[in-house]
mmCIF file with all atom_site columns, all heavy atoms in Angstrom:
data_model
loop_
_atom_site.group_PDB
_atom_site.id
_atom_site.type_symbol
_atom_site.label_atom_id
_atom_site.label_alt_id
_atom_site.label_comp_id
_atom_site.label_asym_id
_atom_site.label_entity_id
_atom_site.label_seq_id
_atom_site.pdbx_PDB_ins_code
_atom_site.Cartn_x
_atom_site.Cartn_y
_atom_site.Cartn_z
_atom_site.occupancy
_atom_site.B_iso_or_equiv
_atom_site.pdbx_formal_charge
_atom_site.auth_seq_id
_atom_site.auth_comp_id
_atom_site.auth_asym_id
_atom_site.auth_atom_id
_atom_site.pdbx_PDB_model_num
ATOM 1   N N   . MET A 1 142 ? -4.352 4.777  -10.203 1.00 98.00 ? 147 MET A N   1
ATOM 2   C CA  . MET A 1 142 ? -3.767 6.053  -9.779  1.00 98.00 ? 147 MET A CA  1
ATOM 3   C C   . MET A 1 142 ? -2.281 6.082  -10.147 1.00 98.00 ? 147 MET A C   1
ATOM 4   O O   . MET A 1 142 ? -1.785 7.075  -10.678 1.00 98.00 ? 147 MET A O   1
ATOM 5   C CB  . MET A 1 142 ? -3.940 6.227  -8.259  1.00 98.00 ? 147 MET A CB  1
ATOM 6   C CG  . MET A 1 142 ? -5.370 6.444  -7.830  1.00 98.00 ? 147 MET A CG  1
ATOM 7   S SD  . MET A 1 142 ? -5.663 6.154  -6.050  1.00 98.00 ? 147 MET A SD  1
ATOM 8   C CE  . MET A 1 142 ? -4.807 7.533  -5.321  1.00 98.00 ? 147 MET A CE  1
ATOM 9   N N   . LEU A 1 143 ? -1.594 4.978  -9.872  1.00 98.00 ? 148 LEU A N   1
ATOM 10  C CA  . LEU A 1 143 ? -0.159 4.934  -10.190 1.00 98.00 ? 148 LEU A CA  1
ATOM 11  C C   . LEU A 1 143 ? 0.058  4.950  -11.701 1.00 98.00 ? 148 LEU A C   1
ATOM 12  O O   . LEU A 1 143 ? 0.956  5.644  -12.217 1.00 98.00 ? 148 LEU A O   1
ATOM 13  C CB  . LEU A 1 143 ? 0.489  3.684  -9.567  1.00 98.00 ? 148 LEU A CB  1
ATOM 14  C CG  . LEU A 1 143 ? 0.468  3.622  -8.028  1.00 98.00 ? 148 LEU A CG  1
ATOM 15  C CD1 . LEU A 1 143 ? 1.039  2.305  -7.535  1.00 98.00 ? 148 LEU A CD1 1
ATOM 16  C CD2 . LEU A 1 143 ? 1.257  4.798  -7.424  1.00 98.00 ? 148 LEU A CD2 1
ATOM 17  N N   . ALA A 1 144 ? -0.813 4.226  -12.425 1.00 98.00 ? 149 ALA A N   1
ATOM 18  C CA  . ALA A 1 144 ? -0.677 4.183  -13.894 1.00 98.00 ? 149 ALA A CA  1
ATOM 19  C C   . ALA A 1 144 ? -0.871 5.570  -14.494 1.00 98.00 ? 149 ALA A C   1
ATOM 20  O O   . ALA A 1 144 ? -0.260 5.899  -15.521 1.00 98.00 ? 149 ALA A O   1
ATOM 21  C CB  . ALA A 1 144 ? -1.691 3.203  -14.472 1.00 98.00 ? 149 ALA A CB  1
ATOM 22  N N   . ALA A 1 145 ? -1.704 6.384  -13.851 1.00 98.00 ? 150 ALA A N   1
ATOM 23  C CA  . ALA A 1 145 ? -1.973 7.727  -14.382 1.00 98.00 ? 150 ALA A CA  1
ATOM 24  C C   . ALA A 1 145 ? -0.713 8.593  -14.365 1.00 98.00 ? 150 ALA A C   1
ATOM 25  O O   . ALA A 1 145 ? -0.634 9.583  -15.083 1.00 98.00 ? 150 ALA A O   1
ATOM 26  C CB  . ALA A 1 145 ? -3.083 8.396  -13.572 1.00 98.00 ? 150 ALA A CB  1
ATOM 27  N N   . ILE A 1 146 ? 0.267  8.232  -13.533 1.00 98.00 ? 151 ILE A N   1
ATOM 28  C CA  . ILE A 1 146 ? 1.539  8.976  -13.575 1.00 98.00 ? 151 ILE A CA  1
ATOM 29  C C   . ILE A 1 146 ? 2.668  8.058  -14.084 1.00 98.00 ? 151 ILE A C   1
ATOM 30  O O   . ILE A 1 146 ? 3.842  8.248  -13.771 1.00 98.00 ? 151 ILE A O   1
ATOM 31  C CB  . ILE A 1 146 ? 1.900  9.621  -12.214 1.00 98.00 ? 151 ILE A CB  1
ATOM 32  C CG1 . ILE A 1 146 ? 1.891  8.608  -11.081 1.00 98.00 ? 151 ILE A CG1 1
ATOM 33  C CG2 . ILE A 1 146 ? 0.958  10.790 -11.916 1.00 98.00 ? 151 ILE A CG2 1
ATOM 34  C CD1 . ILE A 1 146 ? 2.602  9.109  -9.804  1.00 98.00 ? 151 ILE A CD1 1
ATOM 35  N N   . GLY A 1 147 ? 2.272  7.030  -14.835 1.00 97.00 ? 152 GLY A N   1
ATOM 36  C CA  . GLY A 1 147 ? 3.256  6.214  -15.550 1.00 97.00 ? 152 GLY A CA  1
ATOM 37  C C   . GLY A 1 147 ? 3.936  5.143  -14.702 1.00 97.00 ? 152 GLY A C   1
ATOM 38  O O   . GLY A 1 147 ? 4.989  4.632  -15.075 1.00 97.00 ? 152 GLY A O   1
ATOM 39  N N   . LEU A 1 148 ? 3.335  4.787  -13.567 1.00 98.00 ? 153 LEU A N   1
ATOM 40  C CA  . LEU A 1 148 ? 3.969  3.776  -12.694 1.00 98.00 ? 153 LEU A CA  1
ATOM 41  C C   . LEU A 1 148 ? 3.220  2.449  -12.765 1.00 98.00 ? 153 LEU A C   1
ATOM 42  O O   . LEU A 1 148 ? 1.994  2.426  -12.952 1.00 98.00 ? 153 LEU A O   1
ATOM 43  C CB  . LEU A 1 148 ? 3.997  4.266  -11.243 1.00 98.00 ? 153 LEU A CB  1
ATOM 44  C CG  . LEU A 1 148 ? 4.728  5.597  -10.998 1.00 98.00 ? 153 LEU A CG  1
ATOM 45  C CD1 . LEU A 1 148 ? 4.605  5.992  -9.540  1.00 98.00 ? 153 LEU A CD1 1
ATOM 46  C CD2 . LEU A 1 148 ? 6.187  5.498  -11.404 1.00 98.00 ? 153 LEU A CD2 1
ATOM 47  N N   . ASP A 1 149 ? 3.948  1.384  -12.560 1.00 97.00 ? 154 ASP A N   1
ATOM 48  C CA  . ASP A 1 149 ? 3.330  0.060  -12.502 1.00 97.00 ? 154 ASP A CA  1
ATOM 49  C C   . ASP A 1 149 ? 4.094  -0.793 -11.482 1.00 97.00 ? 154 ASP A C   1
ATOM 50  O O   . ASP A 1 149 ? 4.895  -0.255 -10.721 1.00 97.00 ? 154 ASP A O   1
ATOM 51  C CB  . ASP A 1 149 ? 3.301  -0.589 -13.890 1.00 97.00 ? 154 ASP A CB  1
ATOM 52  C CG  . ASP A 1 149 ? 4.700  -0.742 -14.473 1.00 97.00 ? 154 ASP A CG  1
ATOM 53  O OD1 . ASP A 1 149 ? 5.691  -0.606 -13.714 1.00 97.00 ? 154 ASP A OD1 1
ATOM 54  O OD2 . ASP A 1 149 ? 4.817  -0.984 -15.681 1.00 97.00 ? 154 ASP A OD2 1
ATOM 55  N N   . GLU A 1 150 ? 3.870  -2.097 -11.523 1.00 96.00 ? 155 GLU A N   1
ATOM 56  C CA  . GLU A 1 150 ? 4.509  -2.977 -10.534 1.00 96.00 ? 155 GLU A CA  1
ATOM 57  C C   . GLU A 1 150 ? 6.017  -3.007 -10.654 1.00 96.00 ? 155 GLU A C   1
ATOM 58  O O   . GLU A 1 150 ? 6.709  -3.429 -9.740  1.00 96.00 ? 155 GLU A O   1
ATOM 59  C CB  . GLU A 1 150 ? 3.960  -4.400 -10.649 1.00 96.00 ? 155 GLU A CB  1
ATOM 60  C CG  . GLU A 1 150 ? 2.690  -4.613 -9.875  1.00 96.00 ? 155 GLU A CG  1
ATOM 61  C CD  . GLU A 1 150 ? 2.448  -6.087 -9.539  1.00 96.00 ? 155 GLU A CD  1
ATOM 62  O OE1 . GLU A 1 150 ? 3.156  -6.959 -10.058 1.00 96.00 ? 155 GLU A OE1 1
ATOM 63  O OE2 . GLU A 1 150 ? 1.521  -6.334 -8.750  1.00 96.00 ? 155 GLU A OE2 1
ATOM 64  N N   . ALA A 1 151 ? 6.527  -2.609 -11.814 1.00 97.00 ? 156 ALA A N   1
ATOM 65  C CA  . ALA A 1 151 ? 7.991  -2.589 -11.969 1.00 97.00 ? 156 ALA A CA  1
ATOM 66  C C   . ALA A 1 151 ? 8.579  -1.317 -11.353 1.00 97.00 ? 156 ALA A C   1
ATOM 67  O O   . ALA A 1 151 ? 9.764  -1.283 -11.015 1.00 97.00 ? 156 ALA A O   1
ATOM 68  C CB  . ALA A 1 151 ? 8.363  -2.664 -13.452 1.00 97.00 ? 156 ALA A CB  1
ATOM 69  N N   . SER A 1 152 ? 7.735  -0.305 -11.183 1.00 97.00 ? 157 SER A N   1
ATOM 70  C CA  . SER A 1 152 ? 8.285  0.976  -10.703 1.00 97.00 ? 157 SER A CA  1
ATOM 71  C C   . SER A 1 152 ? 7.743  1.356  -9.324  1.00 97.00 ? 157 SER A C   1
ATOM 72  O O   . SER A 1 152 ? 7.965  2.480  -8.865  1.00 97.00 ? 157 SER A O   1
ATOM 73  C CB  . SER A 1 152 ? 8.006  2.085  -11.721 1.00 97.00 ? 157 SER A CB  1
ATOM 74  O OG  . SER A 1 152 ? 6.687  2.003  -12.225 1.00 97.00 ? 157 SER A OG  1
ATOM 75  N N   . ALA A 1 153 ? 7.067  0.438  -8.679  1.00 98.00 ? 158 ALA A N   1
ATOM 76  C CA  . ALA A 1 153 ? 6.581  0.722  -7.317  1.00 98.00 ? 158 ALA A CA  1
ATOM 77  C C   . ALA A 1 153 ? 6.642  -0.559 -6.487  1.00 98.00 ? 158 ALA A C   1
ATOM 78  O O   . ALA A 1 153 ? 6.548  -1.673 -7.016  1.00 98.00 ? 158 ALA A O   1
ATOM 79  C CB  . ALA A 1 153 ? 5.143  1.242  -7.366  1.00 98.00 ? 158 ALA A CB  1
ATOM 80  N N   . TYR A 1 154 ? 6.791  -0.377 -5.182  1.00 98.00 ? 159 TYR A N   1
ATOM 81  C CA  . TYR A 1 154 ? 6.851  -1.503 -4.241  1.00 98.00 ? 159 TYR A CA  1
ATOM 82  C C   . TYR A 1 154 ? 5.773  -1.239 -3.189  1.00 98.00 ? 159 TYR A C   1
ATOM 83  O O   . TYR A 1 154 ? 5.765  -0.187 -2.554  1.00 98.00 ? 159 TYR A O   1
ATOM 84  C CB  . TYR A 1 154 ? 8.239  -1.550 -3.614  1.00 98.00 ? 159 TYR A CB  1
ATOM 85  C CG  . TYR A 1 154 ? 8.497  -2.764 -2.753  1.00 98.00 ? 159 TYR A CG  1
ATOM 86  C CD1 . TYR A 1 154 ? 8.239  -4.055 -3.221  1.00 98.00 ? 159 TYR A CD1 1
ATOM 87  C CD2 . TYR A 1 154 ? 9.040  -2.642 -1.472  1.00 98.00 ? 159 TYR A CD2 1
ATOM 88  C CE1 . TYR A 1 154 ? 8.496  -5.166 -2.448  1.00 98.00 ? 159 TYR A CE1 1
ATOM 89  C CE2 . TYR A 1 154 ? 9.308  -3.745 -0.685  1.00 98.00 ? 159 TYR A CE2 1
ATOM 90  C CZ  . TYR A 1 154 ? 9.027  -5.011 -1.181  1.00 98.00 ? 159 TYR A CZ  1
ATOM 91  O OH  . TYR A 1 154 ? 9.284  -6.125 -0.416  1.00 98.00 ? 159 TYR A OH  1
ATOM 92  N N   . ILE A 1 155 ? 4.839  -2.174 -3.042  1.00 98.00 ? 160 ILE A N   1
ATOM 93  C CA  . ILE A 1 155 ? 3.615  -1.907 -2.289  1.00 98.00 ? 160 ILE A CA  1
ATOM 94  C C   . ILE A 1 155 ? 3.516  -2.806 -1.057  1.00 98.00 ? 160 ILE A C   1
ATOM 95  O O   . ILE A 1 155 ? 3.637  -4.032 -1.155  1.00 98.00 ? 160 ILE A O   1
ATOM 96  C CB  . ILE A 1 155 ? 2.383  -2.118 -3.213  1.00 98.00 ? 160 ILE A CB  1
ATOM 97  C CG1 . ILE A 1 155 ? 2.494  -1.200 -4.436  1.00 98.00 ? 160 ILE A CG1 1
ATOM 98  C CG2 . ILE A 1 155 ? 1.084  -1.858 -2.462  1.00 98.00 ? 160 ILE A CG2 1
ATOM 99  C CD1 . ILE A 1 155 ? 1.450  -1.444 -5.512  1.00 98.00 ? 160 ILE A CD1 1
ATOM 100 N N   . THR A 1 156 ? 3.284  -2.179 0.088   1.00 98.00 ? 161 THR A N   1
ATOM 101 C CA  . THR A 1 156 ? 3.150  -2.944 1.339   1.00 98.00 ? 161 THR A CA  1
ATOM 102 C C   . THR A 1 156 ? 2.167  -2.252 2.272   1.00 98.00 ? 161 THR A C   1
ATOM 103 O O   . THR A 1 156 ? 1.472  -1.311 1.854   1.00 98.00 ? 161 THR A O   1
ATOM 104 C CB  . THR A 1 156 ? 4.539  -3.155 1.991   1.00 98.00 ? 161 THR A CB  1
ATOM 105 O OG1 . THR A 1 156 ? 4.422  -4.037 3.113   1.00 98.00 ? 161 THR A OG1 1
ATOM 106 C CG2 . THR A 1 156 ? 5.146  -1.831 2.450   1.00 98.00 ? 161 THR A CG2 1
#
Side-chain angles (χ1 to χ4, degrees):
M147 291 162 70
L148 296 176
I151 54 165
L153 302 176
D154 59 15
E155 275 203 350
S157 43
Y159 187 51
I160 302 173
T161 187

